[in-house]
Amino acid sequence: MKPRIYVTRTLPQAGLDLLAAEYDVEVNPHDRVATREELLAGIKGKDALLSLLTETIDAEVMDTEPRLKVIANYAVGFNNIDVAAATERGILVTNTPGVLTETTADLAFALLMACARRVVEADGFMRAGKYEGWAPMLFLGRDVHGKTLGLVGFGRIGQAMAQRGLGFNMKILYNDAIRAPEELEKAYNAEYRELPDLLRESDFVSLHVPLMESTHHLISDAQLELMKTTAILINTSRGPVVDEKALVRALEKGVISGAGLDVFEREPEFEPGLERLANVVMVPHIASASVETRTKMATMAAENACAAIRGEMPPNIVNPEVWDRRRK
């Protein structure tokens, strides 16, 4: 009899096919976020769980099925999982790092461009039939080339953004909890700055940090006040990194020029007022949403789950101490 796995939402077929080769697979039939009740019911009798970042996987979920061996998260981030609780219970936790780096950076730079050149506003203007001909002052935006790009977080995605910025002859500044090696700084022509200085100097500030206690509301009133009035903020990291109420206030008052947002503090909700602001471009958490990348994420998550159930160390393990305990 095959081990059993519960998948909380339909994934690209390639991932499901990999799971089916080794598991009896049950997929949440609803193409929406699983309710708490559905999640608790679905995990009963299962050896493994393939979860999304939209589900909270806490001790209650884990204790619903004592035979649970692995939680394979379909995301790079895993702040939706109580990793400490999983470790305590001997449950492996995995994620899907690396695979979405370039695709996420593509989207972050697309938001940067769309905000700077007022693409969404101009598109709406055309669709409303308001265009009456070329005009010198029509939808004046901001140049991107030659400007200063400030990267808050200089991991894989931050470095991929730096690479794109270099293509536009931008000056690259970065801030990170750990300063990058000198050779990495040279590779991207990147200069380290303390966060306040980065915010003061940058024309575009793009956030690429994980969500943790130290980064919750990393950008709030005080930080926004440091930015140039012409600056644009881009967030493709995690919603709560930005204090959305503070952001709305800053955008309404002209403290900064604009914002491009892929993530929100209380998804799927967003702070009231954002939708009324023409200087905001919002998209529904689609940074990794290319056919190629989402398929790679599905196969990676499946490979993690399959390795765990075969008694092999998963390729992308978050809590290796659980594996070490199993090996003893």
Side-chain angles (χ1 to χ4, degrees):
M1 183 177 176
K2 285 184 177 180
R4 304 179 68 197
I5 187 168
Y6 180 61
V7 181
T8 59
R9 197 161 184 176
T10 299
L11 303 178
Q13 192 61 44
L16 296 176
D17 288 344
L18 279 176
L19 291 173
E22 302 201 35
Y23 282 99
D24 178 3
V25 181
E26 179 183 342
V27 181
N28 175 14
H30 309 292
D31 191 18
R32 55 165 171 72
V33 177
T35 67
R36 186 69 172 180
E37 292 73 22
E38 289 168 345
L39 179 60
L40 293 174
I43 201 171
K44 289 180 180 177
K46 305 302 190 300
D47 302 276
L49 172 67
L50 197 155
S51 58
L52 277 62
L53 57 84
T54 48
E55 289 104 28
T56 297
I57 311 300
D58 54 17
E60 181 187 18
V61 174
M62 300 173 201
D63 290 341
T64 299
E65 182 44 68
R67 64 198 267 187
L68 189 67
K69 298 179 180 64
V70 59
I71 301 168
N73 214 38
Y74 179 77
V76 175
F78 45 86
N79 54 285
N80 59 306
I81 299 173
D82 187 337
V83 177
T87 301
E88 182 182 343
R89 290 159 176 77
I91 301 170
L92 295 168
V93 177
T94 68
N95 66 339
T96 60
V99 68
L100 48 67
T101 297
E102 299 295 335
T103 303
T104 299
D106 282 351
L107 191 278
F109 212 85
L111 286 172
L112 186 156
M113 294 286 291
C115 291
R117 297 304 304 272
R118 302 175 66 182
V119 172
V120 175
E121 287 181 81
D123 177 85
F125 183 83
M126 291 294 293
R127 293 174 188 274
K130 296 180 180 179
Y131 182 50
E132 296 178 353
W134 184 89
M137 303 299 290
L138 184 62
F139 287 108
L140 294 184
R142 302 279 177 182
D143 280 338
V144 174
H145 64 276
K147 295 297 181 70
T148 298
L149 173 60
L151 301 168
V152 183
F154 202 55
R156 292 186 183 98
I157 299 172
Q159 291 167 32
M161 276 293 283
Q163 186 67 54
R164 285 154 179 76
L166 290 175
F168 281 75
N169 196 32
M170 300 179 85
K171 180 178 181 179
I172 309 299
L173 306 180
Y174 81 93
N175 173 267
D176 200 281
I178 301 174
R179 183 163 178 170
E182 184 177 354
E183 58 270 22
L184 193 61
E185 291 184 343
K186 288 182 178 179
Y188 293 104
N189 199 24
E191 300 177 18
Y192 177 82
R193 292 289 191 276
E194 295 294 337
L195 182 59
D197 293 328
L198 180 147
L199 296 173
R200 290 188 190 99
E201 296 179 39
S202 298
D203 299 297
F204 302 92
V205 175
S206 191
L207 306 178
H208 303 287
V209 295
L211 178 59
M212 55 184 70
E213 186 175 349
S214 61
T215 61
H216 183 267
H217 283 190
L218 181 67
I219 304 298
S220 191
D221 291 288
Q223 291 74 34
L224 291 163
E225 290 284 350
L226 292 174
M227 294 172 66
K228 297 179 180 180
T229 57
T230 55
I232 290 170
L233 178 70
I234 306 298
N235 189 13
T236 56
S237 58
R238 286 290 184 265
V241 171
V242 175
D243 179 346
E244 259 176 50
K245 291 183 184 297
L247 179 61
V248 170
R249 289 192 292 268
L251 291 166
E252 288 176 338
K253 295 176 181 178
V255 174
I256 64 172
S257 178
L261 306 173
D262 178 54
V263 289
F264 303 89
E265 194 167 355
R266 296 173 300 279
E267 293 185 19
E269 299 176 7
F270 54 82
E271 185 64 27
L274 282 174
E275 78 284 359
R276 298 193 302 270
L277 295 169
N279 55 346
V280 177
V281 176
M282 298 189 291
V283 294
H285 207 146
I286 59 169
S288 64
S290 72
V291 171
E292 297 89 344
T293 292
R294 289 283 173 88
T295 298
K296 289 176 185 175
M297 289 172 65
T299 57
M300 183 178 286
E303 287 165 354
N304 285 331
C306 289
I309 210 68
R310 289 195 299 263
E312 302 170 3
M313 184 175 178
N316 307 107
I317 187 169
V318 170
N319 54 349
E321 57 269 42
V322 173
W323 176 256
D324 294 339
R325 289 207 308 263
R326 289 188 185 182
R327 297 286 289 174
K328 290 179 180 178

